[in-house]
Amino acid sequence: MVSLPWSHPYPTPPGSGFWGPRTSTIDWCEENYVVSVYVAEAMNTITNGMFVALAAFAIYNAVTQKHEKRFILTAMGFALVGVGSWLFHMTLQYEYQLLDELPMIYATCVPTWAVFSYARNKKDTILLGVYIFLGASILTAVYLHFKDPTIHQAGYAVLTGMVLFRSLYLIVTKIEDAHARADMWRTVIIGIVTFLSGYGLWMIDIHFCGTLRHARRVVGMPYGFLLEGHGWWHILTGLGVYYYLVFLEYLRICLVGRAPDYNYVWDWGFFPHVDLKKKTTAKEVKKNN
């Protein structure tokens, strides 16, 4: 082990911890119960705080800035994914694995319906919702039967890809305002790069697990925490999903003709949100004069 300031050696992993033997169909590269007997994968658990925090802000912003209820539902699903993933990595129990994985599908169904229902009549919009519900139900049944994570991952990838490409099509064909399009493209590109960066780190975590575990033990805790690729997946995909949610909010606002009522805000140059324009009251005008 390298001697670094405030570094502590990793202990030998115990056979099991507070939650008992693992029942999940997946076990990640982070060594189990080496930080706490109460938490199977400490970093993979804590990093889900990014999902929950961003979802909480998205819900708050959607309510206070008068966005449509579909975005509140999507953000709530986003939060449920974070909570489910927290419980899954904390316990490595199968029921919490499902609470992590299945809400990813269900939360994505809302924007799928939203972008594909645009410009459709009420009957077709309802039918589309029924088809999406049936598709999600069939995917759930198939996954629960075979218990193969690849089925879930493929289903989520297909849904996400459908929403992304449909959204990009709407930008190109329906959004005429150059400034609005620039904000949308900027958000989409940052979101995709962030998401794919997280995916890349996750793949490194999977394919070079032995090397990473050795490196973590060489540098010790807490430095080894920075080498938890799946934890970085949570942080970066949480940001990527947030970017995409904001993009969908603004796309919807522009499509329904509400863009003059909103500002697209970039806090610190990288954190976007869509806010109602402040209406100046007579009292404020008098005060400013």
Side-chain angles (χ1 to χ4, degrees), residues 272-287:
H273 49 93
V274 185
D275 294 353
L276 279 167
K277 290 182 178 178
K278 185 178 180 181
K279 294 181 179 179
T280 305
T281 64
K283 183 183 292 186
E284 288 175 323
V285 171
K286 183 177 180 180
K287 181 179 178 181

Side-chain angles (χ1 to χ4, degrees), residues 68-134:
E68 294 178 67
K69 291 180 181 179
R70 65 185 68 188
F71 298 110
I72 299 175
L73 289 175
T74 302
M76 291 174 65
F78 184 19
L80 183 58
V81 171
V83 172
S85 186
W86 180 293
L87 293 172
F88 169 35
H89 289 288
M90 184 174 71
T91 67
L92 291 181
Q93 299 300 299
Y94 180 65
E95 58 267 32
Y96 295 122
Q97 177 182 341
L98 295 180
L99 188 59
D100 172 16
E101 295 172 332
L102 294 180
M104 293 172 65
I105 300 294
Y106 306 149
T108 310
C109 285
V110 179
T112 302
W113 170 81
V115 297
F116 282 97
S117 64
Y118 172 71
R120 294 176 182 267
N121 58 44
K122 185 175 182 180
K123 178 182 177 181
D124 288 345
T125 298
I126 294 172
L127 282 175
L128 177 63
V130 171
Y131 293 148
I132 292 173
F133 173 79
L134 290 175

Side-chain angles (χ1 to χ4, degrees), residues 104-105 108 139 149-162:
M104 293 172 65
I105 300 294
T108 310
L139 177 60
T150 305
I151 295 173
H152 160 262
Q153 293 164 6
Y156 177 68
V158 169
L159 269 178
T160 302
M162 288 170 57

Side-chain angles (χ1 to χ4, degrees), residues 42-280:
M43 291 303 102
N44 288 349
T45 299
I46 293 171
T47 49
N48 280 292
M50 178 65 77
F51 271 90
V52 178
L54 289 173
F57 177 78
I59 293 170
Y60 168 80
N61 185 260
V63 171
T64 58
Q65 304 306 316
K66 311 300 182 184
H67 294 301
E68 294 178 67
K69 291 180 181 179
R70 65 185 68 188
F71 298 110
I72 299 175
L73 289 175
T74 302
M76 291 174 65
F78 184 19
L80 183 58
V81 171
V83 172
S85 186
W86 180 293
L87 293 172
F88 169 35
H89 289 288
M90 184 174 71
T91 67
L92 291 181
Q93 299 300 299
Y94 180 65
E95 58 267 32
Y96 295 122
Q97 177 182 341
L98 295 180
L99 188 59
D100 172 16
E101 295 172 332
L102 294 180
M104 293 172 65
I105 300 294
Y106 306 149
T108 310
C109 285
V110 179
T112 302
W113 170 81
V115 297
F116 282 97
S117 64
Y118 172 71
R120 294 176 182 267
N121 58 44
K122 185 175 182 180
K123 178 182 177 181
D124 288 345
T125 298
I126 294 172
L127 282 175
L128 177 63
V130 171
Y131 293 148
I132 292 173
F133 173 79
L134 290 175
S137 299
I138 292 170
L139 177 60
T140 299
V142 171
Y143 179 47
L144 292 177
H145 177 74
F146 290 102
K147 296 185 178 181
D148 182 355
T150 305
I151 295 173
H152 160 262
Q153 293 164 6
Y156 177 68
V158 169
L159 269 178
T160 302
M162 288 170 57
V163 177
L164 176 61
F165 285 111
R166 173 64 175 174
S167 302
L168 298 182
Y169 171 78
L170 290 174
I171 293 179
V172 173
T173 60
K174 301 297 181 181
I175 305 302
E176 297 180 355
D177 183 86
H179 186 69
R181 289 178 68 167
D183 277 325
M184 289 183 194
W185 280 115
R186 178 183 175 186
T187 308
V188 168
I189 291 171
I190 294 175
I192 291 174
V193 171
T194 304
F195 191 95
L196 291 179
S197 297
Y199 180 78
L201 291 173
W202 177 25
M203 289 299 100
I204 292 173
D205 198 60
I206 291 174
H207 296 292
F208 298 94
C209 181
T211 302
L212 288 171
R213 283 187 174 182
H214 175 73
R216 291 173 200 146
R217 289 190 169 271
V218 168
V219 298
M221 296 186 287
Y223 303 101
F225 297 160
L226 298 175
L227 300 177
E228 298 290 354
H230 195 75
W232 284 110
W233 155 259
H234 290 156
I235 293 171
L236 295 174
T237 55
L239 280 168
V241 170
Y242 173 79
Y243 279 118
Y244 194 59
L245 178 58
V246 174
F247 155 68
L248 288 177
E249 287 176 341
Y250 195 46
L251 176 62
R252 175 66 180 175
I253 285 169
C254 291
L255 289 175
V256 299
R258 297 176 64 200
D261 298 326
Y262 284 86
N263 286 321
Y264 200 94
V265 181
W266 287 92
D267 284 340
W268 312 294
F270 71 91
F271 189 78
H273 49 93
V274 185
D275 294 353
L276 279 167
K277 290 182 178 178
K278 185 178 180 181
K279 294 181 179 179
T280 305

